[in-house]
Amino acid sequence: MVVRIIALSMVAEVCSIYLRRANGEMEFFATEGLDDKAVHVTRMKPGEGLVGEIMKQGRPLNLADAPAHPAFSYRPETGEDPYHAFLGVPLLRGGRAIGVLVVQNRTERTYTEDEVEDLQIVAMVLAEMVASGELISVEDLDGVELSPKRPERLIGSKFAEGLAYGVVVLHEPPVASSQLLSDDVAAEEQRLANALAALKAQIDQMLEGQHGLVDASYDVLESYRMFAHSTGWNRNLEDAVKNGLTAEAAVERVRSEHRARLGQARDPYLRERLHDLEDLNDRLLRHLAGAGSVARELPANAVLIARNLGPADLLEYDRTKLRGLLLEEGSSASHAAIVARALDIPCVGRLQGLRDRVNEGDPVIVDAETGEAYLRPRPDVVKAIQARIDVRRQRQAEFAKLKDTPAFTRDGVKVTLLMNAGLDVDLESLADTGAEGIGLFRTEFQFMVSEEMPRLTAQTDLYARVMDAAAGLPVTFRTLDLGGDKVLPYMEAEREDNPALGWRAIRMGLDRPALLRLQLRALIAASLGRPLRIMFPLVANVDEFRAARALVETEVAWAQRRGRPAPSRLDVGAMIEAPSLIWHLDALLPMTDFVSVGTNDLMQYLFAADRGNPRVADRYDPLSPPALRALEAIQRACAETGTPVSVCGEMAGRPLEAFALVALGFERLSMPPAGIGPVKQMVLGCDREAARRGVSALLKSGAGSVRNEIETLARRLYVAV
Ligand code: PEP
Ligand code: MG
């Protein structure tokens, strides 16, 4: 009946529907005009014929003489010989083609733009009707792939450790299909026009309100603006509304087409543009909905799925219900990853094609130990993951029992275990883990998760909250470590070819002292007569440290002149992250009150391997003679001068690496909160003297990595690593 109505209204002699089966074949599903006997019998291989072509391209095919087209596949049983004119449009759902709607006519002619537009709207309504089961009974649809149903495993990168099993919640899900058609076209046109105007104004304001945006962000905004104002996009939306769709449905239709078309583009530039468009569409939908928050009510075991998340997005969800996070894009240094780690939410990112492969409510596994996602997992996989989740929980319970046990090695060496933090939410971990303080507070996180530059009072408030929460335990505040991979949309920076080697951290701080001084002022104000520890990132030469220290003293004097309480004790330290300092420790150490080794950066510079590039990040092993010798040199020099030294890179939080560090003589380790339990267990089982002897012998090894040897050593000493 439906194909008959469509044929009639389009003045076509033929109208047919093809639907995609789970094996990818296209089934001839209904027809008016072709031979009924072929219905449910004729099947086209994936990619076969004009129908296959439309599925592949995700866009209409409008041909005056179909049989002359090279992709035409002749199927005698359908009786399509006499028909020349052919118009086929994909049935799109959530960016996937689930079938094809075709009209045909005898005479050779090209269909008009209006006809193409009309058929696309019919196809959109049809796709929703098919998917909702309104049109075709569930039994008939058996095996038709309306949405992804098969189990799939995707491989990505782990952004935040852990395991989770839950149900898919799509960040900003597609609008409900129930309001596809509008009752009042004029009113709908007005709604769309208003939303588009609001969107354009918002983007213009974002661009104009910011003097000196970062280049890259400026480019993105500029391309948003270009799209927002592009007549093509606007006209497509307006046409869809004119033809009777609601504004939301129009957005979805245009979006589906773009996705289907650009989604297959290999060209990275085009793919980038698609992301811009996605974001723009989401923004427009939000304007149509009258703005409002992106977050919503979650099921009890939600796994959030998004292409990427903005700075504050994750914080808007109810974290008591959020079990895991899967991202199609991102990097482990992205905002979402940072916040996920802080909230202890397992997160896997860089999962290609994720968003189009899941449906809201699908069961899903986040394996952030291996960096994988299982969509609609089979029962045996679920069982295995549940067993692993149980083991993890038991181990965590064991670590929790050790919370108040001081970390002494078996031969009586006290190892101080501190935690790394950067956000308010991290502070809860202080009590949970039994950390003896915060060895690294990354102050730039506050800047990274804000939409605008945090003011003096906002900075002061945060630092005071941190010191309050630490309740007398030491907190080492690291001054802003921005630049490199940590760019802010609202701050001026030039595009650099090698950002990791560029204008970042203390370099930026010293060249633009206003920002650094503001931060120092906030730290001093927050200390309110309490002890204060300040540390500077990425010092590469001693003059930089000298200059930075002078700024601290200037700010203390400034506070004192105004009669404000100075810190009761002030310790100023340097991070050792640039290899250059290793050969100038004799000059550096006497100037510092303490140092902390940032092994993440130190290893990156030592091995010339970008820590953020998955191809090379794990290529070189910190458990190798050159890296261990560098660490040993630092530890020795500190011991000789009596300079307190800690290690605060990620390696301090991994038991085997921490074992090597303890063996080298380090007695202060600062790490992500989740590392404290496992590292404490290692320390409690460790004989430092035996470890020292074993590891120092391995320093002379000619191997590129001594990881296996260190592991054997640790096992021989009965250390839990
Ligand atoms: C480091 O480089 O090791 C470090 C602790 O600092 P970040 O990871 O913030 O660069
Ligand atoms: Mg660093």
Side-chain angles (χ1 to χ4, degrees):
M1 197 177 79
V2 169
V3 284
R4 193 166 314 134
I5 295 171
I6 299 173
L8 258 176
S9 65
M10 299 283 299
V11 200
E13 282 135 337
V14 174
C15 174
S16 315
I17 296 171
Y18 297 79
L19 291 181
R20 185 181 188 276
R21 289 275 169 193
N23 61 4
E25 284 183 350
M26 295 300 294
E27 181 175 322
F28 187 52
F29 217 87
T31 189
E32 165 71 13
L34 296 188
D35 195 335
D36 268 347
K37 287 197 282 304
V39 167
H40 297 311
V41 176
T42 294
R43 300 225 174 160
M44 323 274 276
K45 297 261 164 308
E48 184 190 339
L50 300 177
V51 164
E53 200 61 24
I54 295 166
M55 291 290 284
K56 225 172 23 198
Q57 304 295 339
R59 64 179 149 195
L61 200 55
N62 183 359
L63 302 171
D65 185 15
H69 192 280
F72 182 79
S73 163
Y74 180 59
R75 292 302 188 96
E77 72 276 16
T78 60
E80 84 189 292
D81 303 51
Y83 304 104
H84 289 273
F86 173 105
L87 172 60
V89 299
L91 300 176
L92 294 170
R93 258 202 113 228
R96 297 171 69 250
I98 61 167
V100 173
L101 174 64
V102 176
V103 291
Q104 288 170 284
N105 283 80
R106 257 170 230 275
T107 44
E108 281 191 29
R109 72 170 185 106
T110 328
Y111 295 88
T112 64
E113 258 184 47
D114 280 349
E115 285 171 316
V116 177
E117 176 75 17
D118 285 348
L119 197 64
Q120 279 181 290
I121 289 174
V122 171
M124 185 174 178
V125 178
L126 193 61
E128 290 305 328
M129 286 166 80
V130 170
S132 66
E134 278 171 51
L135 191 61
I136 299 165
S137 74
V138 180
E139 300 89 75
D140 281 346
L141 281 177
D142 191 30
V144 170
E145 221 194 22
L146 299 177
S147 54
K149 283 205 184 81
R150 278 163 299 167
E152 278 191 78
R153 185 179 72 135
L154 301 184
I155 300 175
S157 314
K158 54 180 172 184
F159 287 176
E161 276 266 335
L163 298 170
Y165 174 51
V167 296
V168 167
V169 170
L170 296 173
H171 180 65
E172 291 169 328
V175 287
S177 58
S178 54
Q179 317 126 5
L180 275 177
L181 300 176
S182 68
D183 304 326
D184 180 348
V185 171
E188 209 56 29
E189 280 179 320
Q190 195 52 52
R191 277 188 72 222
L192 177 69
N194 291 348
L196 276 170
L199 174 73
K200 286 174 203 169
Q202 181 193 31
I203 292 170
D204 289 349
Q205 194 191 356
M206 277 159 78
L207 269 164
E208 277 149 27
Q210 313 298 338
H211 26 273
L213 277 160
V214 181
D215 258 11
S217 313
Y218 194 88
D219 284 353
V220 170
L221 283 180
E222 197 42 72
S223 68
Y224 275 5
R225 167 138 82 176
M226 230 174 63
F227 270 123
H229 289 267
S230 97
T231 37
W233 189 58
N234 281 257
R235 191 170 343 102
N236 285 346
L237 291 169
E238 283 156 14
D239 285 352
V241 167
K242 256 196 204 89
N243 282 307
L245 290 189
T246 57
E248 283 87 353
V251 175
E252 284 303 334
R253 223 216 55 212
V254 174
R255 181 213 292 263
S256 271
E257 267 168 47
H258 276 123
R259 268 195 206 158
R261 204 176 308 156
L262 288 179
Q264 340 184 324
R266 286 220 195 89
D267 180 57
Y269 177 79
L270 276 182
R271 295 193 61 84
E272 272 304 310
R273 297 288 73 76
L274 178 63
H275 299 159
D276 294 348
L277 262 178
E278 286 287 344
D279 201 77
L280 208 58
N281 283 311
D282 289 342
R283 276 175 200 277
L284 186 55
L285 284 177
R286 266 185 258 154
H287 280 292
L288 282 168
S293 146
V294 295
R296 59 206 170 93
E297 198 51 38
L298 294 181
N301 53 347
V303 172
L304 192 65
I305 302 232
R307 279 180 211 281
N308 214 339
L309 288 178
D313 288 348
L314 196 54
L315 294 167
E316 283 183 44
Y317 286 95
D318 177 356
R319 48 189 274 244
T320 60
K321 293 179 176 168
L322 209 51
R323 292 284 169 276
L325 173 64
L326 295 175
L327 299 174
E328 186 155 331
E329 300 159 7
S331 75
S332 116
S334 63
H335 300 127
I338 291 167
V339 177
R341 282 197 291 272
L343 296 175
D344 201 17
I345 294 172
C347 172
V348 177
R350 293 220 184 97
L351 294 160
Q352 249 183 16
L354 170 70
R355 185 77 190 247
D356 292 339
R357 285 190 162 85
V358 289
N359 314 293
E360 179 93 11
D362 276 354
V364 63
I365 287 170
V366 181
D367 187 341
E369 284 179 350
T370 60
E372 290 167 313
Y374 294 83
L375 315 176
R376 302 166 293 276
R378 284 195 305 269
D380 52 329
V381 179
V382 173
K383 231 171 157 179
I385 205 80
Q386 270 166 339
R388 281 173 54 205
I389 291 174
D390 285 346
V391 169
R392 224 184 141 84
R393 217 173 270 144
Q394 276 163 20
R395 290 192 58 209
Q396 269 159 354
E398 277 171 38
F399 299 145
K401 274 193 229 138
L402 295 178
K403 189 167 69 104
D404 300 316
T405 312
F408 280 97
T409 63
R410 290 204 297 198
D411 50 346
V413 180
K414 170 76 196 307
V415 180
T416 302
L417 304 182
L418 306 152
M419 64 170 237
N420 297 345
L423 293 170
D424 269 318
V425 295
D426 289 324
L427 301 175
E428 292 165 26
S429 303
L430 257 180
D432 295 348
T433 57
E436 293 175 73
I438 296 177
L440 167 65
F441 190 87
R442 292 179 165 108
T443 57
E444 65 276 8
F445 282 9
Q446 182 189 23
F447 285 63
M448 289 165 71
V449 299
S450 308
E451 304 282 357
E452 54 183 28
M453 178 89 72
R455 294 170 190 281
L456 179 69
T457 48
Q459 294 183 46
T460 311
D461 288 351
L462 173 65
Y463 306 149
R465 281 202 300 280
V466 174
M467 286 189 235
D468 292 347
L473 294 173
V475 180
T476 303
F477 290 95
R478 174 178 70 188
T479 61
L480 287 176
D481 187 0
L482 291 169
D485 55 350
K486 298 170 192 157
V487 285
L488 302 178
Y490 50 81
M491 237 175 84
E492 186 178 354
E494 270 168 36
R495 200 191 206 102
E496 297 178 311
D497 285 342
N498 293 298
L501 304 179
W503 194 59
R504 50 169 293 204
I506 196 173
R507 302 168 183 183
M508 206 188 241
L510 291 175
D511 292 356
R512 297 270 188 282
L515 189 60
L516 181 53
R517 285 184 61 176
L518 196 73
Q519 182 177 31
L520 296 172
R521 198 165 288 184
L523 284 165
I524 292 163
S527 75
L528 274 178
R530 293 178 276 196
L532 178 62
R533 295 170 64 83
I534 298 176
M535 169 162 91
F536 293 105
L538 199 70
V539 177
N541 100 23
V542 291
D543 291 336
E544 288 172 337
F545 183 76
R546 207 174 269 127
R549 186 163 195 144
L551 283 182
V552 178
E553 265 132 37
T554 311
E555 280 309 315
V556 171
W558 185 89
Q560 278 171 333
R561 273 204 309 280
R562 274 159 189 74
R564 304 193 181 157
S568 61
R569 174 190 165 133
L570 182 63
D571 288 282
V572 183
M575 287 193 79
I576 300 186
E577 302 184 283
S580 56
L581 287 184
I582 299 177
W583 294 277
H584 217 186
L585 290 167
D586 52 339
L588 177 78
L589 298 183
M591 287 189 239
T592 60
D593 299 315
F594 67 94
V595 293
S596 188
V597 191
T599 47
N600 304 338
D601 276 318
L602 185 61
M603 295 301 147
Q604 135 162 298
Y605 299 126
L606 217 42
F607 289 111
D610 183 347
R611 61 191 266 192
N613 177 345
R615 280 215 176 130
V616 297
D618 297 323
R619 193 178 181 104
Y620 306 100
D621 196 346
L623 297 186
S624 61
L628 294 174
R629 285 187 208 176
L631 290 166
E632 190 203 30
I634 297 169
Q635 198 284 328
R636 277 230 173 116
C638 290
E640 277 161 18
T641 51
T643 310
V645 57
S646 64
V647 177
C648 64
E650 305 302 299
M651 75 181 276
R654 296 188 208 112
L656 185 62
E657 279 84 343
F659 169 76
L661 292 171
V662 169
L664 291 176
F666 289 100
E667 292 171 9
R668 288 175 77 81
L669 304 177
S670 191
M671 63 197 81
I676 292 196
V679 169
K680 189 182 280 185
Q681 207 175 43
M682 179 281 293
V683 169
L684 294 172
C686 175
D687 181 326
R688 209 258 301 253
E689 188 44 33
R692 191 194 60 75
R693 277 198 305 271
V695 169
S696 71
L698 290 172
L699 291 184
K700 301 185 189 83
S701 161
S705 163
V706 288
R707 176 168 296 268
N708 289 340
E709 290 78 356
I710 292 181
E711 192 165 352
T712 310
L713 174 70
R715 290 201 191 291
R716 196 159 50 75
L717 299 175
Y718 300 106
V719 179
V721 288

